[in-house]
Amino acid sequence: SPASSRAAEVEASALALVIDGAALALCLDDEGLKEALLQLGRVCASVLACRVSPKQKAQVVELVRTGVKPEPLTLSIGDGANDVGMIQAAHVGVGISGKEGMQAVNNSDFAIAQFRFLERLLLLHGRWNYGRMSKVVLYYYYKNFVLTLTLFVFNFQAAFSGTSLFESLMASGYNVLLFLPIVFVGALDQDISAQMALRQPELYVTGRTNMHLNTIKVGATMLEGVLTGGVIVAVAAATRRSSANDGLYSLGCTVYTWLFLIMQWKLVAEASCWSRPLNAIWWAHNMIYVAFLIAYSAMYSVSPDFYGVGTNTLDEPEFWLACAVVLGASMLLDTSLEYARLQLRPTIVDIYAEIDSGYGEASLEHEMRARGALGRGCLLCALGATGATQFWVEPQSARCISEELPEKALFTGDYSIEPTDGFAGSVKVLGPLDAVLFERQTSDPHHFSVTSET
């Protein structure tokens, strides 16, 4: 439309829109003006609507939800009864408890005591929870896909007779047995520290762009499940004859144990924060499984077919050798795939996680391979004793390595640029609140110095 074409020519950082209730009413009553208002608002850095009614607040939210494609995730925050309609119209409503009553809180999804707490709610807890839930969902995809693939291949060996590889209680208790440790990951995991998440709000992009849970992630998880299932099937085929003497459930108990060990390792690989509760429940879970095999194999009245199977299986040296082979192959597969991903396509979260863990130099070496993660050029971070300094290098074809900065002169020091062929652009050193501390236009910035803290 003509409005959208004109709006595209304007830089968002240079515009702010202020509209009052009377003007907003005119815009919302006319479809053409409504479209123009939406297009203009989308290119503005901020939009302020003043002296508007509760109904108009909700209409603005509905305008964004229905007019922007694909539909964005909207959030409304308010502290009074006049904000209830707006809060209910948004995907996520946040109510502030204060002097204007509890109506907003009672109709919201989340409640906070002060507006300033919204920063931690979104940038910290919201981002953490998105990462946690993504790991839980992908873990369940992986866990059940490996099990299904294993049983699918076994059906060919059983001539599609419907024979079960696992004893009935073990087959039905697969998800019950493995649910508890991942609950702790979903409740306590932290991919980066709170200080880093608040210091680098750009990391909030993970949820906005579905970085941790999308079609590619699900497809990669399925592919990894296929490879893991292939390892299980191959080792099971090689050890089938030795297990045949003890019956079908002996082979089933062996494969079931492999699945348990692989899922326990997968939990270790996925957990970014190895907390004490998770550590305790993980070890307890392993001991509970062994105790279950021993106890259940002694309950003849409960399962005569499984009587003695668990203890006999644990007594066989071949069983432990096969467990070591399967677990080792699974660990090698997972670590190889993850290492290749970190080397070839690291995300901005991976980079900051390494910096947060004390491996910042390795992160800087692979920064250029994460280009485009934020759409703001090349982001490099050097941690000093008093905080973080950000270095933006344009274009993305350059790599910037910063030396350690002195504590008393955080922005003073020598910086080197290793340009690629045809490098030409602007070099900026940004401080707190994106204040430009140093800027130079150059076509060959091999080296430059910052000698003033201002």
Side-chain angles (χ1 to χ4, degrees):
S1 63
S4 60
S5 62
R6 288 194 301 269
E9 299 175 357
V10 184
E11 293 186 7
S13 60
L15 285 182
L17 174 63
V18 181
I19 185 170
D20 60 9
L24 183 60
L26 294 175
C27 293
L28 294 177
D29 290 339
D30 184 271
E31 291 298 327
L33 293 177
K34 184 188 295 186
E35 175 67 18
L37 175 64
L38 179 63
Q39 294 296 335
L40 180 59
R42 292 186 65 181
V43 300
C44 289
S46 61
V47 178
L48 175 64
C50 57
R51 298 186 181 275
V52 296
S53 66
K55 181 180 179 180
Q56 288 176 324
K57 293 181 181 181
Q59 287 177 325
V60 171
V61 177
E62 291 291 346
L63 175 62
V64 174
R65 290 190 59 170
T66 58
V68 180
K69 301 299 179 182
E71 182 180 353
L73 185 64
T74 57
L75 180 147
S76 294
I77 180 170
D79 62 350
N82 59 339
D83 298 319
V84 171
M86 175 183 64
I87 290 175
Q88 293 179 338
H91 292 92
V92 180
V94 179
I96 302 176
S97 58
K99 297 181 180 181
E100 297 193 30
M102 299 293 293
Q103 289 90 340
V105 170
N106 293 335
N107 289 274
S108 63
D109 301 299
F110 301 93
I112 56 179
Q114 299 180 27
F115 187 83
R116 63 186 178 90
F117 295 155
L118 182 65
E119 179 186 22
R120 293 184 65 87
L121 179 64
L122 293 178
L123 301 184
L124 184 61
H125 298 291
R127 189 190 165 281
W128 274 349
N129 283 325
Y130 167 72
R132 293 164 181 168
M133 292 302 102
S134 299
K135 289 183 179 180
V136 171
V137 171
L138 293 177
Y139 174 83
Y140 271 94
Y141 272 126
Y142 177 81
K143 174 172 64 67
N144 291 294
F145 192 77
V146 174
L147 173 66
T148 303
L149 181 63
T150 304
L151 295 178
F152 177 74
V153 175
F154 174 76
N155 279 331
F156 287 91
Q157 302 295 325
F160 294 93
S161 61
T163 303
S164 176
L165 177 62
F166 307 125
E167 193 273 338
S168 59
L169 180 62
M170 297 182 69
S172 60
Y174 178 73
N175 287 316
V176 177
L177 183 66
L178 293 172
F179 93 97
L180 191 57
I182 192 62
V183 170
F184 281 79
V185 174
L188 302 175
D189 194 58
Q190 301 175 7
D191 55 350
I192 59 175
S193 66
Q195 294 80 4
M196 180 64 76
L198 295 174
R199 188 163 52 201
Q200 304 296 338
E202 294 91 350
L203 293 174
Y204 189 70
V205 74
T206 56
R208 292 177 56 246
T209 58
N210 293 325
M211 185 180 295
H212 295 324
L213 187 60
N214 50 52
T215 304
I216 297 177
K217 279 284 187 180
V218 174
T221 301
M222 296 299 184
L223 177 60
E224 187 177 353
V226 170
L227 298 177
T228 304
V231 171
I232 293 177
V233 170
V235 179
T239 59
R240 183 177 55 185
R241 294 183 178 180
S242 61
S243 301
N245 298 329
D246 297 326
L248 177 63
Y249 284 160
S250 177
L251 176 62
C253 180
T254 301
V255 174
Y256 197 90
T257 303
W258 295 346
L259 290 171
F260 176 82
L261 294 176
I262 289 174
M263 299 311 149
Q264 290 292 88
W265 153 251
K266 186 66 174 178
L267 195 79
V268 174
E270 291 297 326
S272 302
C273 177
W274 198 251
S275 60
R276 291 183 179 180
L278 178 60
N279 187 33
I281 196 64
W282 189 85
W283 287 107
H285 213 236
N286 290 317
M287 293 184 287
I288 289 173
Y289 176 72
V290 175
F292 165 76
L293 285 183
I294 297 174
Y296 190 55
S297 62
M299 298 179 181
Y300 180 82
S301 59
V302 177
S303 178
D305 295 335
F306 198 74
Y307 182 74
V309 173
T311 53
N312 292 336
T313 302
L314 294 175
D315 288 338
E316 295 178 357
E318 295 83 358
F319 164 78
W320 296 104
L321 178 61
C323 286
V325 172
V326 171
L327 183 59
S330 178
M331 294 172 65
L332 180 62
L333 174 64
D334 287 348
T335 53
S336 299
L337 292 176
E338 181 65 10
Y339 180 80
R341 185 191 69 83
L342 290 175
Q343 295 298 313
L344 299 177
R345 295 187 63 85
T347 66
I348 197 67
V349 179
D350 298 324
I351 295 169
Y352 275 114
E354 288 188 10
I355 295 174
D356 202 22
S357 302
Y359 300 98
E361 185 176 352
S363 303
L364 296 177
E365 292 178 357
H366 304 297
E367 166 60 29
M368 289 316 303
R369 298 176 183 177
R371 60 187 183 274
L374 293 176
R376 292 183 59 188
C378 173
L379 171 63
L380 302 178
C381 181
L383 295 180
T386 60
T389 308
Q390 296 178 346
F391 302 89
W392 296 90
V393 180
E394 300 174 357
Q396 293 176 347
S397 58
R399 179 166 63 94
C400 177
I401 301 177
S402 69
E403 300 180 359
E404 193 69 25
L405 298 179
E407 177 178 358
K408 295 182 180 180
L410 183 60
F411 307 118
T412 302
D414 294 331
Y415 308 93
S416 298
I417 299 290
E418 295 182 7
T420 57
D421 294 337
F423 174 85
S426 172
V427 177
K428 293 183 181 180
V429 179
L430 302 183
L433 302 179
D434 288 343
V436 178
L437 302 172
F438 179 87
E439 183 174 5
R440 172 179 295 177
Q441 295 286 342
T442 178
S443 59
D444 188 23
H446 286 285
H447 182 82
F448 65 92
S449 298
V450 179
T451 57
S452 174
E453 296 183 35
T454 60

